[in-house]
Amino acid sequence: MEHIIEIEHLCKSFGDIKAVQDLSFIVKRGELFAFLGVNGAGKSTTISMLCGQLKKDSGNILVCGENVERNFEKISRKIGVVFQNSVLDVPLSVRDNLRSRASLYGIKGKAFEKRLNELAQLLDFSDLLNRPLNKLSGGQKRRIDIARAILHKPEILILDEPTTGLDPQTRNLLWDVINNLRKEKQMTVFLTTHYMEETADADYIVILDSGKIAAKGTPLSLKNEYAGDYITLYGIDESSVKQLGMPYESIRDAFRISVPNTEKATELILSHPYLFKDYEIIKGKMDDVFLAVTGKKLVGGAEK
């Protein structure tokens, strides 16, 4: 699979603060790539360099095989960005916001109207076209932010905390649209998020801590390395659970046992089959991975 983003030994400091320290990773075409870290970990600084808004101190950034600093004009047409904070013009209508953006890419007249209608159908905002941005809800504005980012049919969509503060219905709509673009257009999605469940379907994850890569891998490999499994046992008494010799907790009508991995769970089942009449095994979550790797929890945009 083609490497669409290549970052090698990237560094950036602001005075004494080393915001990004020797980052190296690749993103493959069509991937959902998750870039995780608490506020101040270096995510936004990296994205700003990737988008040509900030100069690096050292290292290399290649997008679609092109050097970002030398060929940014060419690269900018291949990237769409949904920033954490909306960059839309609040007094203007939805139509005028998108017309202004489209003109930067030479999309005008009938071509613009055709693309506008496609996006309005895709993101369900046909009834909002003539409404000024300051009359829209947060979820409605986010849909327009996405439309703005994909107007020119970019190869890479960068999503910086795209669903923070949105209601579940709007979050689901946005993810349906994004997943369809990946499937139908082979669009690559570069995601930062504080919602760990949004990383479950990622193809690859990089976790940053204080400007450095703390861990990287597929969701499964990270869970296997940093998070154990949980066995929930039903219809059993506590004295029987103690026979397993593993840490456990009582939960409502069951007991949840912590095991380091699936191999250990299998071993327990084979050695104590009479205890496993009614049970389920659940892998650890990305929240567990993040906590194990960084010692911090990622909750609603804050470090805890």
Side-chain angles (χ1 to χ4, degrees):
M1 194 183 285
E2 179 191 348
H3 296 173
I4 197 164
I5 297 173
E6 298 174 71
I7 290 182
E8 297 176 339
H9 305 297
L10 188 63
C11 296
K12 180 67 181 177
S13 296
F14 300 98
D16 294 334
I17 299 169
K18 294 180 179 178
V20 170
Q21 302 181 59
D22 197 29
L23 291 195
S24 294
F25 60 83
I26 60 169
V27 181
K28 297 181 179 179
R29 183 176 293 278
E31 273 190 332
L32 171 55
F33 180 96
F35 198 49
L36 306 179
V38 298
N39 290 340
K43 305 188 303 299
S44 294
T45 301
T46 303
I47 288 172
S48 294
M49 289 187 281
L50 181 60
C51 295
Q53 295 180 320
L54 193 63
K55 283 191 176 290
K56 60 182 172 57
D57 291 343
S58 60
N60 284 307
I61 306 171
L62 298 180
V63 175
C64 300
E66 303 277 356
N67 183 290
V68 167
E69 290 189 348
R70 286 202 295 268
N71 301 301
F72 182 68
E73 187 65 34
K74 186 175 179 182
I75 289 167
S76 66
R77 295 181 171 273
K78 298 177 184 287
I79 297 176
V81 188
V82 178
F83 294 99
Q84 195 168 343
N85 298 313
S86 179
V87 292
L88 297 164
D89 288 319
V90 175
L92 296 182
S93 69
V94 169
R95 184 188 298 276
D96 288 343
N97 260 285
L98 296 179
R99 180 184 283 117
S100 171
R101 182 65 180 175
S103 67
L104 297 178
Y105 298 99
I107 306 169
K108 298 177 181 178
K110 288 182 180 178
F112 167 69
E113 290 298 331
K114 181 173 182 289
R115 185 61 178 147
L116 180 65
N117 288 331
E118 288 172 357
L119 293 170
Q121 291 295 318
L122 187 67
L123 288 154
D124 191 24
F125 62 81
S126 298
D127 57 334
L128 305 176
L129 289 173
N130 297 316
R131 201 178 295 183
L133 262 292
N134 54 17
K135 299 293 184 185
L136 302 188
S137 69
Q140 290 169 334
K141 285 177 186 172
R142 214 54 174 152
R143 281 185 259 162
I144 312 308
D145 280 321
I146 300 271
R148 175 189 177 278
I150 63 175
L151 252 173
H152 58 299
K153 301 181 180 178
E155 295 179 40
I156 302 165
L157 179 60
I158 297 175
L159 301 171
D160 192 8
E161 309 287 351
T163 60
T164 299
L166 296 187
D167 61 275
Q169 185 179 349
T170 304
R171 283 176 69 190
N172 289 339
L173 168 68
L174 294 186
W175 275 110
D176 284 346
V177 169
I178 290 160
N179 288 331
N180 284 337
L181 288 170
R182 288 185 60 221
K183 194 183 301 178
E184 294 172 11
K185 309 293 184 187
Q186 273 291 290
M187 182 181 281
T188 304
V189 177
F190 188 107
L191 169 73
T192 78
T193 181
H194 284 107
Y195 295 107
M196 288 292 105
E197 68 270 22
E198 293 185 342
T199 68
D201 295 326
D203 296 292
Y204 203 80
I205 295 171
V206 166
I207 298 176
L208 283 191
D209 191 23
S210 302
K212 298 177 182 176
I213 293 179
K216 58 184 176 180
T218 64
L220 180 60
S221 68
L222 290 172
K223 287 175 187 177
N224 283 341
E225 184 170 355
Y226 295 103
D229 292 2
Y230 298 101
I231 307 171
T232 304
L233 273 173
Y234 301 94
I236 194 170
D237 58 40
E238 190 166 2
S239 60
S240 298
V241 175
K242 287 179 178 177
Q243 292 178 40
L244 298 172
M246 300 299 294
Y248 68 88
E249 60 177 321
S250 175
I251 53 164
R252 205 170 179 93
D253 57 348
F255 291 93
R256 186 162 61 194
I257 300 147
S258 299
V259 289
N261 48 46
T262 308
E263 184 180 1
K264 182 62 179 179
T266 305
E267 182 187 308
L268 290 175
I269 293 166
L270 293 175
S271 60
H272 300 83
Y274 54 91
L275 297 180
F276 291 85
K277 304 295 184 190
D278 189 6
Y279 68 94
E280 59 184 342
I281 301 176
I282 300 171
K283 279 209 167 291
K285 298 179 180 179
M286 281 307 302
D287 299 79
D288 302 319
V289 172
F290 193 88
L291 181 60
V293 169
T294 66
K296 302 156 190 167
K297 285 186 178 180
L298 203 55
V299 182
E303 173 186 334
K304 294 194 176 181

